[in-house]
Amino acid sequence: MSNMSVAQPVDVDRDLVDFTVVGKWMDEQGLPGGEFEEVAPLGGGTQNIMLRFRRGGRDYVLRRGPKHLRAKSNEVIRREARLLGALDGADVRTPRMIAACPDETVLGAVFYLMEPITGFNPQNELPELHAGDQEIRRQMGLSAVEAIARLGALDYQALGLADYGKPDGFLERQVPRWLGELESYSSNEGYPGPEIPGVERVGEWLDRNRPARWSPGILHGDCHLANMMFSFDGPEVAAMVDWEMSTIGDPLLDLGWQIATRPEPGTAGAALVGKLGAVGGLPTAAEMIEHYGKFSDRDLSVVPWYTVLACFKLGIVLEGTHARAYAGKAPKQVGDFLHAITLELFERAHGLME
């Protein structure tokens, strides 16, 4: 491989992605050879590392865990690669998988290669077409609903994903699981504990009103609009990204999640979806539920329950960064911002409960 030259920019750390190793591995997979060209890091919502490059006339994105791997980083990327591989060819908007390396000893971390997505993230940019037309933004929201409805309607067992999650008792586990997570934050030095009004009351309401019947399916798990890429020339979702929280569970939680995170301009939560959140013009909860019904035969009368669960779960997830900020493990500004969103989510939950 000594004759392989790599046009590599300074800001790609060779310890994280050694292209000599990647090139050898790609050759073994039968992918086109040659120089690595146009290597560039891609920003994303996560700490995971993504690099775009071109080799042998084909474009790729490489994804691996963060520089400082966490306990579960490799397993998360391994699961993501497995899911995207299983979904390849299904009628859902996902990144197209090219090849995965589940063995972390090759590069020092599990990684996979996927096709680049042609689209924009509405958190960071909003093309003129979308910024200037409220109907296009409404359709963006509906396209996001369609994307999760189609995902939730897939036969996960036929796709070989029977053991991708533990659907038995999924809904029963949610409240104790997340209250336990909230309790664990107390290990952060200086954190005064969760100042979230009515956490226990929301948990009790969820347990009391839990739907008795539901059918398992694939759950994206974090399908707010900042985890969607949209087409430049229309309102369609190009791909759902960041599958780290995906599992086999109750897909209606994805619909509740989209309703709970629907950006209302002027709120802290809208800032999560940056550019799009600031202008708004998205469909109402009622329109979202109706649209979901066009692609699903699930019982949508219980969607408010799932929306309360989404507020509860996401609020607790975001509070984790607030707690870590007290211990100096996250920027205070970010912690305060996310805590403000947590309070809004619980306020929304209380409104729905009434």
Side-chain angles (χ1 to χ4, degrees):
M1 298 297 292
S2 57
N3 63 349
M4 194 182 82
S5 63
V6 176
Q8 183 164 237
V10 182
D11 51 4
V12 174
D13 187 336
R14 284 203 80 108
D15 293 340
L16 298 178
V17 179
D18 184 332
F19 279 97
T20 309
V21 172
V22 174
K24 186 169 180 292
W25 179 82
M26 286 175 73
D27 294 343
E28 287 162 7
Q29 309 307 307
L31 293 165
E35 286 188 18
F36 284 81
E37 301 164 325
E38 301 168 32
V39 179
L42 290 180
T46 60
Q47 267 65 66
N48 290 319
I49 288 157
M50 290 204 292
L51 297 175
R52 184 173 178 147
F53 64 86
R54 189 170 174 77
R55 187 183 192 222
R58 188 172 184 183
D59 292 311
Y60 299 87
V61 171
L62 180 148
R63 181 164 162 97
R64 58 147 284 173
K67 180 171 185 171
H68 302 292
L69 289 171
R70 298 178 190 155
K72 293 182 182 160
S73 294
N74 282 324
E75 186 49 30
V76 164
I77 299 290
R78 201 177 279 122
R79 277 175 62 82
E80 236 178 68
R82 178 186 169 191
L83 181 72
L84 293 177
L87 293 177
D88 193 32
D91 185 21
V92 285
R93 302 297 172 108
T94 58
R96 297 293 305 273
M97 172 66 91
I98 297 171
C101 179
D103 176 0
E104 66 258 39
T105 63
V106 175
L107 193 68
V110 173
F111 70 95
Y112 63 86
L113 300 177
M114 58 181 166
E115 290 179 3
I117 300 158
T118 304
F120 67 93
N121 181 326
Q123 186 178 25
N124 310 322
E125 59 177 307
L126 205 55
E128 268 176 50
L129 173 71
H130 305 69
D133 188 338
Q134 180 166 340
E135 179 54 23
I136 289 224
R137 297 196 299 276
R138 196 179 75 86
Q139 294 290 344
M140 285 170 76
L142 295 178
S143 181
V145 168
E146 178 182 341
I148 54 164
R150 287 188 183 278
L151 178 71
L154 294 174
D155 180 341
Y156 68 95
Q157 288 170 319
L159 292 169
L161 293 168
D163 61 343
Y164 189 74
K166 301 185 183 78
D168 289 349
F170 177 80
L171 291 185
E172 287 78 4
R173 282 198 302 276
Q174 295 302 306
V175 171
R177 156 88 176 81
W178 294 102
L179 286 178
E181 180 79 1
L182 188 60
E183 218 164 278
S184 75
Y185 299 160
S186 299
S187 63
N188 288 285
E189 209 176 319
Y191 178 55
E195 288 164 9
I196 306 167
V199 174
E200 299 289 343
R201 195 159 77 82
V202 177
E204 284 160 15
W205 183 91
L206 285 166
D207 277 340
R208 259 200 327 276
N209 294 283
R210 192 169 49 239
R213 294 175 53 197
W214 61 279
S215 47
I218 302 167
L219 184 72
H220 178 282
D222 193 16
C223 55
H224 55 74
L225 295 176
N227 280 340
M228 304 256 168
M229 304 281 287
F230 287 87
S231 165
F232 286 110
D233 51 13
E236 294 80 26
V237 169
M240 296 186 276
V241 296
D242 279 345
W243 292 81
E244 291 175 35
M245 287 170 72
S246 61
T247 190
I248 305 301
D250 187 337
L252 283 182
L253 181 52
D254 273 349
L255 179 55
W257 203 267
Q258 284 196 351
I259 294 169
T261 57
R262 177 183 174 274
E264 305 274 359
T267 60
L272 267 182
V273 200
K275 301 264 185 191
L276 179 59
V279 289
L282 291 153
T284 63
E287 288 175 313
M288 291 165 77
I289 293 166
E290 186 197 356
H291 198 66
Y292 192 98
K294 294 177 185 172
F295 308 95
S296 172
D297 53 7
R298 295 178 185 276
D299 173 14
L300 301 181
S301 67
V302 286
V303 169
W305 184 88
Y306 291 93
T307 310
V308 172
L309 175 58
C311 291
F312 178 81
K313 181 172 172 177
L314 180 57
I316 289 174
V317 168
L318 298 178
E319 183 65 14
T321 304
H322 185 229
R324 286 193 294 276
Y326 275 95
K329 299 178 201 163
K332 182 181 185 308
Q333 196 185 349
V334 174
D336 289 349
F337 165 60
L338 296 181
H339 180 65
I341 297 175
T342 294
L343 295 181
E344 285 179 356
L345 286 165
F346 273 87
E347 221 171 281
R348 192 172 282 194
H350 288 298
L352 285 162
M353 283 156 53
E354 283 155 29

